[in-house]
Amino acid sequence: MKTNNVTKKMVLTAMLACLAFVLNTFVYFPAMAPFQHFVDVLAAVLVGPWYGCAAAFICGVLRMLSGRTIQAVTGAVFGPILGGLIYKKTKNIYLTFIGEVAGTGFCGAMKWFYGLDAQSPFYYIPFYTPSAVVGAGMGVAVLLILKHSGALGRMLSELS
């Protein structure tokens, strides 16, 4: 019996959300969540922009339930959307990196999402961008290893 591809993508989305939550919970960096961006890049390539956004949203809600702020959700959802759309159009892993960093480091860091009284609308960019660069770099490294081994192609063909 062949499993529906939508079901496979939903299961992988849930697994990626849980992976991001566990890594962000047990490997803690003050004011940084590089493993969220790591998983965002993986999700953008493996399941696409909308499932990637769902994985980031689920992880962000779980992180909020464990005591984090709303920034756990709003800062993470733009990266996989932009990175996933770029990957869908170009099939270029390096451009997915740029999409994640731009989506999270700039779009997700804008002050008007939080309603906080920050000095500038760009107040959070210096905090979000380094985390996005480190995490997205780790995601690209894993994807390149998978690509060179041939596993990425098999995974993508199984999910499409």
Side-chain angles (χ1 to χ4, degrees), residues 25-79:
T25 301
F26 294 111
V27 183
Y28 181 72
F29 299 101
M32 288 182 75
F35 291 109
Q36 179 65 53
H37 312 295
F38 164 71
V39 171
D40 284 354
V41 169
L42 295 178
V45 171
L46 294 174
V47 295
W50 309 115
Y51 286 102
C53 176
F57 181 78
I58 292 166
C59 176
V61 169
L62 290 172
R63 290 174 65 206
M64 280 180 51
L65 291 172
S66 66
R68 300 293 174 104
T69 65
I70 187 70
Q71 293 172 331
V73 174
T74 56
V77 296
F78 297 101

Side-chain angles (χ1 to χ4, degrees), residues 1 4 8 12 14 26 29 34 52 65 67 69-71 77-78 80 105 133 136 142 145-147 153 156 159:
M1 183 172 158
N4 189 349
K8 289 179 185 179
L12 185 56
F26 294 111
F29 299 101
L65 291 172
T69 65
I70 187 70
Q71 293 172 331
V77 296
F78 297 101
V133 168
V142 168
I145 290 168
L146 290 172
K147 183 178 181 179
L156 290 174
L159 289 168

Side-chain angles (χ1 to χ4, degrees), residues 106-118:
F106 299 106
C107 297
M110 299 306 271
K111 156 191 151 172
W112 47 273
F113 286 117
Y114 308 116
L116 300 175
D117 190 26

Side-chain angles (χ1 to χ4, degrees), residues 3 19-20 22 34 54 60 70 79-80 83 86 95 97 103 111 120 129 142 152 159-160:
T3 305
L19 176 66
V22 168
I70 187 70
I86 289 172
L95 291 178
F97 169 88
K111 156 191 151 172
S120 162
T129 305
V142 168
L152 181 61
L159 289 168
S160 62

Side-chain angles (χ1 to χ4, degrees), residues 5 8 153-160:
N5 287 337
K8 289 179 185 179
R154 290 190 304 272
M155 291 168 74
L156 290 174
S157 68
E158 186 71 27
L159 289 168
S160 62

